[in-house]
Amino acid sequence: MSDPGPRWEDGIPERLYVITGGRSGPLTTTTLDLVTLIIARSGPRPGMQPEHAAIMRMCQSPLSVAEISAYLALPVSVVTVLLGDLLAADQVLSRAPVALAQLPDLALIEAVIDGLRKL
């Protein structure tokens, strides 16, 4: 029978605590959400925490926070702490998702429609 993988009662909360250094959020204010794209500025440095190094390796091309979380099999909250560390150290860049297009003013649309009708 194959091992189903780690379970919460097998010490995972302690592991997550160690990975984040006991923090529940990034040290600096960051605006990361699930679709924020992350790209590494370089490869991992010697002596980096394994999870930081893994992020640096996988983000040689842009990945979203959600994808990083899935590839590392870590909760998004833990990944945002790790990414906050890397952002603070200027090891990665983040790019906010493309903002939704702003709709033009309703009065402008009505004026265009009115003008087209007069043609």
Side-chain angles (χ1 to χ4, degrees):
M1 184 168 154
S2 67
D3 181 14
R7 297 184 311 251
W8 284 102
E9 56 271 4
D10 289 341
I12 294 299
E14 291 84 6
R15 177 176 170 259
L16 298 178
Y17 183 85
V18 170
I19 290 172
T20 62
R23 294 174 287 133
S24 61
L27 293 174
T28 59
T29 304
T30 60
T31 54
L32 298 174
D33 60 15
L34 293 175
V35 293
T36 300
L37 294 176
I38 305 294
I39 187 162
R41 288 183 174 267
S42 64
R45 293 176 292 136
M48 280 185 123
Q49 181 177 335
E51 292 79 13
H52 286 141
I55 291 171
M56 297 294 289
R57 279 190 300 276
M58 73 175 62
C59 290
Q60 293 302 305
S61 58
L63 284 177
S64 71
V65 172
E67 290 172 307
I68 297 167
S69 175
Y71 290 140
L72 292 177
L74 291 172
V76 172
S77 58
V78 171
V79 171
T80 57
V81 171
L82 296 172
L83 290 173
D85 295 344
L86 292 171
L87 284 165
D90 206 27
Q91 297 292 312
V92 296
L93 298 170
S94 68
R95 190 182 95 200
V98 177
L100 295 175
Q102 297 294 322
L103 295 177
D105 183 28
L106 184 58
L108 175 64
I109 293 173
E110 289 173 348
V112 170
I113 291 172
D114 186 46
L116 290 171
R117 284 185 183 147
K118 289 181 181 178
L119 290 176

